[in-house]
């Protein structure tokens, strides 16, 4: 409502009179309250109607034209899909709350794709069968097993998708041009749910178990995923094995694999820490656990966080163990976690303890843009799918109503402009005004629940498949499934399920004529057996640690004060970011940057730093290095040949790089006093440039590589001749 007030004020000038201009002014507003589903973000669909009436009243009062244009033309869905939507929302209990005016019935839709065939399917509700074995009592209460109806629905959907994707299947969807057809792709499927719960995870698991390309969860709370929690616990145990609770967590995780009986044989009546008791045990499993933890402890000081976790997940088989226990959807969380470790290594000095501290401070939720999910099946909530579409939509989560606990305990009563807020957790004690407010809140929630169904159904272009599952209680009459079935069952026919002939489905609409489909021979993909070497650790390379050109002074000698290093970092940052700004804005931006990053320096010192950077940017000799398309702070890694016949691994960062079709230019910025001449240049600087030049010559074969050293104070610019660089390479020690 606050946004509507802002819009009202922004449009107020439209009604303020003729003004200075004589041109006819127009006002255009578009909206669809049927798709208002974000009340939890403050959406107020009733305000759309209020503003509509207000504008109409004010425009017609001065004898101007007010045109009401209903948006009934759909550019997405087939006529059969739209007909089903119209029939579902044709009766008053179903369309109540769909429009802001409760008395108004939504108009019928028109299809832009008038000849596009469409199908609507209704599957029977999946129920718990009589006489089935009870669920495993060891499973968490919010986790399903294979006998639970949600898992059966997920597996049935996955089987149907697998059959439709089979190369031998003749099922088709519309191609790029009207009237054409093509085979179905994974990206044609969109599975919509009301909430991300255990079914959501079961659906992703069922797809991945059949090797169906899947985009994974559209949102992932990384720190709450059990695989990530186990990896964090492993790192904490490596740093501090005396933490009994963390150690017990790791011992029961898939990374080690002990169970309750193993811990009961070890933990009670111990005289010291759990780790000491573990080291004294003679049980084989306990000995192996100690060996695994000791390997982690030895790795802490020698490995970066990424290397630490990759050793656990790769050669030690951690990923395989996670997938065996948690299912293939654990891959998403593991991969995102590894990306986070790489980000940590790029942004600061990598250390496992530092990474754990940073991670614990994060509340990280990974959000994927599912509109850019490539050729994958997408599973997401209806809210997240608003604005998206797909050839084939599955609606499996249709038998539950909005959770009662989502209803508020605070109710506005009295004057709507200045309401009194009343807290009432139970309706049994509500006075009449609060009871009325509670009823209004309930009706608004139910209305949005029906609008959510409208949004879900209208995401479909050619096929809409509706399923459902229920527990002990039967699905209520007001749920999505009952609403749709009551409306569509009279006009549907009973047909066998295409995958399981023992089942039947209700179907209406027309299928695409598969006789015209391209029936070229195809064979189903066989399961790929992985070779043995993929599980074996990679053999050690014959070369050792990489030479870092930026530390070439370590090879030849040299040092600098802390103040000089700070000054150098500031100048490098200025020369990295200022070239991207216009020449007029560089000075002000540089002043703001230095004031924020170097408050301990005096104003004169900051001004001198900025002037040095601007002098480099303004020097004509440096212009090619800052040309459009040039790059700053370019990280490189390569193996270069050293004469005679030796080699070295090189990893470093080039301060500035510019490449065109004929040549490659790069430079290294230096601070402090410039040498009197090129011959007086420190050998370490020349060796650094020689290594960079050798790497770039391998990356850009056939182009001339030119190397520059730029002393910022001045500036003083030296181009290093090739013979000087070759001599520097010959003087470098080769990597064994």
């Amino acid at each position: 409502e606050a946004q509507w007030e802002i819009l009202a004020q922004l449009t107020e000038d439209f009604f303020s009179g003729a003004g200075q201009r004589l041109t006819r002014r127009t006002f255009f507003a578009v909206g669809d309250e049927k798709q208002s589903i974000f009340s939890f973000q403050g959406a107020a669909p009733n305000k759309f109607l209020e503003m509509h009436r207000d504008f109409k009243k004010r425009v017609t009062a001065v004898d101007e034209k007010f045109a009401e244009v209903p948006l009934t033309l759909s550019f997405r869905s087939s006529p059969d899909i739209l007909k089903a939507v119209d029939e579902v929302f044709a009766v008053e209990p179903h369309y109540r709350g769909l429009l802001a005016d409760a008395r108004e019935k939504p108009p019928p839709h028109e299809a832009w794709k008038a000849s596009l065939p469409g199908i609507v399917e209704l599957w029977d509700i999946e129920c718990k069968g009589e006489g089935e074995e009870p669920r495993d009592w060891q499973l968490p209460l919010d986790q399903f097993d294979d006998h639970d109806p949600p898992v059966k629905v997920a597996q049935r959907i996955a089987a149907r998708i697998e059959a439709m994707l089979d190369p031998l299947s003749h099922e088709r969807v519309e191609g790029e041009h009207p009237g054409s057809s093509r085979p179905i792709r994974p990206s044609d499927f969109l599975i919509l749910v009301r909430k991300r719960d255990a079914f959501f995870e079961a659906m992703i698991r069922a797809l991945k178990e059949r090797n169906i390309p899947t985009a994974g969860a559209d949102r992932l709370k990384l720190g709450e995923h059990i695989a990530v929690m186990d990896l964090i616990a492993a790192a904490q145990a490596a740093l501090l094995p005396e933490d009994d609770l963390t150690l017990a967590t790791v011992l029961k995780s898939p990374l080690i694999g002990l169970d309750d009986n193993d811990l009961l044989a070890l933990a009670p009546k111990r005289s010291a820490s759990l780790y000491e008791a573990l080291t004294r045990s003679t049980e084989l499993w306990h000995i192996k656990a100690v060996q695994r933890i000791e390997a982690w402890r030895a790795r802490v000081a020698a490995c970066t966080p990424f290397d630490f976790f990759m050793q656990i997940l790769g050669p030690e088989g951690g990923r395989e163990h996670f997938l065996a226990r948690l299912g293939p959807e654990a891959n998403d969380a593991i991969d995102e976690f590894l990306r986070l470790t790489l980000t940590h290594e790029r942004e600061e000095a990598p250390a496992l303890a530092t990474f754990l501290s940073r991670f614990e401070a994060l509340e990280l939720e990974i959000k994927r843009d599912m509109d850019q999910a490539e050729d994958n099946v997408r599973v997401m909530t209806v809210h997240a799918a608003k604005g998206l579409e797909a050839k084939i939509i599955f609606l499996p989560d249709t038998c539950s109503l909005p959770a009662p606990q989502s209803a508020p305990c605070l109710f506005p009563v009295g004057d709507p402009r200045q309401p009194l807020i009343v807290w009432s957790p139970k309706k049994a004690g509500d006075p009449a005004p609060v009871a009325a407010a509670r009823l209004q809140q309930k009706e608004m929630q139910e209305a949005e629940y029906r609008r959510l169904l409208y949004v879900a159904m209208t995401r479909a272009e050619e096929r809409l498949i509706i399923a459902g599952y229920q527990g002990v209680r039967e699905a209520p009459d007001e749920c999505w499934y009952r609403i749709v079935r009551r409306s569509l069952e009279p006009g549907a026919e009973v047909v066998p399920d295409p995958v399981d002939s023992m089942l039947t489905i209700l179907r209406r609409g027309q299928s695409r004529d598969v006789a015209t489909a391209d029936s070229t021979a195809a064979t189903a993909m066989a399961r790929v057996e992985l070779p043995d070497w993929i599980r074996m650790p990679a053999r050690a390379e014959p070369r050792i640690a990489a030479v870092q050109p930026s530390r070439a002074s370590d090879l030849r000698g040299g040092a600098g004060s802390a103040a000089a290093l700070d000054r150098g970092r500031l100048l490098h940052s200025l020369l990295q970011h200022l070239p991207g700004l216009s020449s007029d804005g560089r000075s002000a931006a540089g002043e703001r940057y230095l004031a924020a990053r170097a408050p301990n320096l005096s104003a004169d010192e900051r001004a001198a730093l900025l002037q040095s950077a601007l002098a480099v940017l303004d020097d004509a000799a440096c212009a090619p290095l800052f040309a459009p398309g040039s790059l700053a702070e370019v990280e490189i890694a390569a193996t270069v040949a050293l004469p005679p016949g030796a080699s070295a691994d090189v990893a470093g960062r080039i301060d500035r790089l510019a490449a065109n079709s004929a040549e490659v230019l790069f430079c290294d910025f230096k601070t402090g006093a410039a040498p009197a001449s090129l011959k007086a240049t420190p050998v370490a600087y020349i060796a650094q440039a020689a290594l960079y030049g050798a790497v770039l010559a391998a990356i850009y074969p056939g182009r001339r590589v030119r190397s520059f050293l730029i002393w910022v104070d001045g500036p003083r610019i030296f181009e290093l001749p090739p013979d000087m660089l070759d001599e520097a390479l010959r003087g470098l020690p080769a990597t064994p």
Side-chain angles (χ1 to χ4, degrees):
E1 296 193 6
Q3 291 179 336
W4 279 113
E5 296 299 328
I6 295 173
L7 292 173
Q9 294 184 41
L10 289 175
T11 57
E12 185 65 27
D13 189 58
F14 180 77
F15 303 100
S16 62
Q20 295 180 349
R21 293 182 300 170
L22 299 179
T23 55
R24 189 180 188 88
R25 290 180 294 175
T26 59
F27 178 87
F28 176 77
V30 61
D32 184 3
E33 66 264 51
K34 298 192 300 298
Q35 299 193 49
S36 180
I37 57 175
F38 289 95
S39 64
F40 58 88
Q41 293 182 352
N46 58 301
K47 289 292 292 185
F48 186 82
L49 179 62
E50 292 180 18
M51 294 292 288
H52 175 275
R53 290 172 173 171
D54 181 63
F55 278 120
K56 182 176 182 180
K57 178 180 178 181
R58 299 177 71 178
V59 169
T60 56
V62 292
D63 296 328
E64 290 290 345
K65 182 180 179 182
F66 185 87
E68 300 180 65
V69 183
L71 301 179
T72 59
L73 187 61
S74 171
F75 291 85
R76 174 189 299 130
S77 303
S78 70
D80 293 294
I81 299 292
L82 295 176
K83 183 180 179 182
V85 173
D86 290 338
E87 291 184 17
V88 167
F89 296 101
V91 297
E92 195 274 337
H94 296 175
Y95 71 70
R96 189 186 307 136
L98 208 62
L99 300 177
D101 188 346
R103 300 166 298 178
E104 187 177 352
K105 181 179 179 179
H109 293 84
E110 301 174 51
W112 174 263
K113 302 175 181 179
S115 59
L116 181 66
I119 296 174
V120 178
E121 292 183 12
L122 284 94
W123 297 357
D124 290 336
I125 293 178
E126 188 68 49
C127 309
K128 190 101 174 170
E130 295 184 4
E132 289 186 2
E133 296 181 4
R135 58 179 282 116
D136 187 348
W137 66 270
Q138 299 180 82
L139 287 175
L141 294 177
D142 59 350
Q143 182 177 334
F144 297 134
D145 62 19
D146 290 342
H147 299 291
D148 284 309
V151 175
K152 292 182 179 179
V153 171
Q155 292 172 345
R156 184 178 177 185
I157 291 174
R160 180 67 179 277
I161 292 175
E162 183 181 43
M164 297 172 82
L165 291 174
D166 192 313
L168 297 178
S169 171
H170 287 173
E171 295 203 67
R172 317 277 286 189
V173 292
E174 185 181 41
E176 300 299 327
H177 305 288
S180 65
S181 66
R182 61 167 176 80
I184 297 174
R185 298 192 291 254
S187 57
D188 293 327
F189 296 96
L190 181 56
I191 303 171
L192 299 180
V193 299
R194 288 184 49 242
K195 52 189 177 296
R196 299 177 186 89
D197 55 6
F199 171 78
F200 184 83
E201 297 176 0
M203 188 68 254
I204 295 176
R205 182 185 302 115
L207 292 169
K208 292 193 173 185
E209 285 175 347
R210 293 178 179 269
N211 295 320
I212 297 172
T214 309
D218 59 335
R219 293 193 181 187
L220 177 65
K221 291 186 177 180
L222 197 59
E224 297 181 8
H225 195 282
I226 188 65
V228 173
M229 295 169 69
D230 283 343
L231 288 171
I232 292 294
Q236 291 172 335
L239 292 169
L240 186 64
E242 291 78 13
D243 183 346
D244 289 352
L245 180 59
T246 300
L247 180 60
T249 301
V250 174
L251 293 176
K252 284 196 62 180
S253 75
L255 299 177
I256 293 181
L258 302 188
D259 58 21
D260 287 334
N261 293 329
D262 294 312
L263 290 181
L264 288 173
L266 176 71
K269 299 181 181 181
R270 68 186 188 277
S271 59
S273 70
L274 181 61
Y275 188 65
E276 287 189 32
L278 193 67
T279 58
R280 296 172 184 171
S281 175
T282 58
E283 292 288 337
L284 178 61
W285 276 105
H286 296 166
I287 294 173
K288 289 184 176 180
V290 171
Q291 292 173 346
R292 178 67 54 84
I293 295 169
E294 286 299 323
W296 296 348
R297 297 184 68 185
R299 200 179 299 147
V300 167
C303 296
T304 65
F306 176 78
D307 292 335
F308 177 85
F309 291 113
M310 276 302 299
Q311 289 288 331
I312 292 176
L313 293 168
E316 293 182 7
R319 185 187 289 265
E320 185 176 356
H321 296 321
F322 277 132
L323 300 186
R325 184 180 297 188
L326 303 176
E329 70 275 13
N331 270 323
D332 294 334
I334 294 171
D335 292 341
E336 292 293 347
F337 179 75
L338 290 175
R339 290 190 188 99
L340 202 61
T341 63
L342 289 175
T343 301
H344 167 75
E345 293 182 18
R346 287 195 297 267
E347 293 180 350
E348 56 185 308
L352 187 61
T354 306
F355 172 76
L356 295 180
S357 176
R358 300 285 188 271
F359 186 84
E360 288 176 358
L362 293 175
E363 292 185 3
L364 196 62
E365 183 176 64
I366 306 300
K367 299 180 181 179
R368 293 188 177 94
D369 185 358
M370 301 301 267
D371 196 23
Q372 308 295 328
E374 300 180 346
D375 194 15
N376 295 309
V377 177
R378 294 167 289 173
V379 185
M380 58 199 308
T381 63
V382 182
H383 284 94
K386 190 171 183 295
L388 302 183
E389 61 185 58
K391 299 285 188 182
I392 304 167
I393 294 289
F394 282 89
L395 293 183
D397 183 10
T398 59
C399 292
S400 61
L401 295 175
Q405 57 266 31
S406 65
C409 294
L410 294 173
F411 302 95
V413 298
D415 187 351
R417 293 171 297 181
Q418 292 183 331
L420 177 67
I421 305 300
V422 178
W423 180 72
S424 178
K426 296 181 179 180
K427 67 178 182 179
D430 285 347
V434 176
R438 187 187 294 275
L439 179 61
Q440 184 182 19
Q441 291 281 10
K442 181 175 181 293
E443 291 174 348
M444 291 172 60
Q445 188 180 47
E446 292 173 350
E448 181 165 289
Y449 175 75
R450 291 187 288 270
R451 292 196 298 271
L452 197 65
L453 172 61
Y454 174 85
V455 171
M457 295 182 69
T458 53
R459 299 308 95 197
E461 183 177 345
E462 296 188 38
R463 300 192 188 189
L464 177 62
I465 301 174
I466 299 168
Y469 55 87
Q470 65 185 24
V472 178
R473 298 180 181 178
E474 287 199 2
D477 288 341
E478 301 82 11
C479 72
W480 285 0
Y481 185 89
R482 301 294 188 197
I483 289 175
V484 173
R485 184 151 192 144
R486 280 196 300 268
S487 304
L488 302 185
E489 186 172 13
E493 60 175 334
V494 179
V495 298
D497 184 281
V499 176
D500 188 345
S501 59
M502 301 297 293
L503 301 174
T504 59
I505 59 177
L506 291 176
R507 174 180 290 178
R508 52 180 291 161
Q510 51 181 324
S511 61
R512 185 173 294 278
D513 183 7
V514 298
T516 62
D518 180 13
S519 57
T520 56
T523 58
M525 292 187 296
R527 183 177 179 85
V528 177
E529 291 295 333
L530 297 177
D532 293 338
W533 57 260
I534 204 166
R535 297 183 178 88
M536 299 171 59
R539 64 180 180 84
E541 294 287 343
R543 292 177 296 272
I544 60 171
V547 176
Q548 292 182 299
S550 59
R551 297 181 181 175
S553 58
D554 295 340
L555 304 174
R556 303 290 185 176
S561 67
L565 292 175
D566 289 339
R567 183 175 183 272
R569 281 192 287 266
L570 291 170
L571 280 169
H572 273 74
S573 295
L574 290 171
L575 291 170
Q576 176 184 355
H577 299 294
L578 291 182
L581 304 176
S582 65
S583 56
D584 295 338
R586 290 173 180 171
S587 180
E591 291 174 358
R592 291 193 301 270
Y593 175 81
L594 291 175
R597 295 297 298 272
N600 58 315
L601 297 182
S602 67
D604 291 341
E605 289 173 323
R606 293 197 296 267
L609 279 174
L610 179 58
Q611 185 56 42
S612 296
L614 293 176
V616 173
L617 297 177
D618 294 336
D619 194 301
C622 299
L625 291 163
F626 298 99
S630 61
L631 303 173
E633 302 295 326
V634 180
E635 295 186 6
I636 58 171
T639 300
V640 299
L642 298 177
S647 65
D649 289 342
V650 177
R653 182 180 296 172
I654 296 176
D655 290 343
R656 198 78 195 177
L657 174 66
N660 55 45
S661 58
E663 58 184 11
V664 179
L665 296 81
F666 74 95
C667 76
D668 195 56
F669 297 120
K670 302 297 181 183
T671 56
S677 65
L678 178 60
K679 292 184 178 180
T681 302
V683 179
Y685 295 166
I686 300 174
Q688 175 185 7
L691 287 171
Y692 286 152
V695 173
L696 293 174
I699 296 174
Y700 298 98
R703 303 191 201 185
R704 179 189 177 194
V705 178
R706 299 174 61 190
S707 172
F708 296 85
L709 294 178
I710 300 177
W711 271 264
V712 177
D713 292 332
R716 190 79 183 274
I717 305 168
F718 291 142
E719 181 172 1
L720 304 180
D723 56 345
M724 181 180 286
L725 298 174
D726 292 341
E727 182 181 353
L729 284 179
R730 285 192 293 270
L732 285 175
T735 304

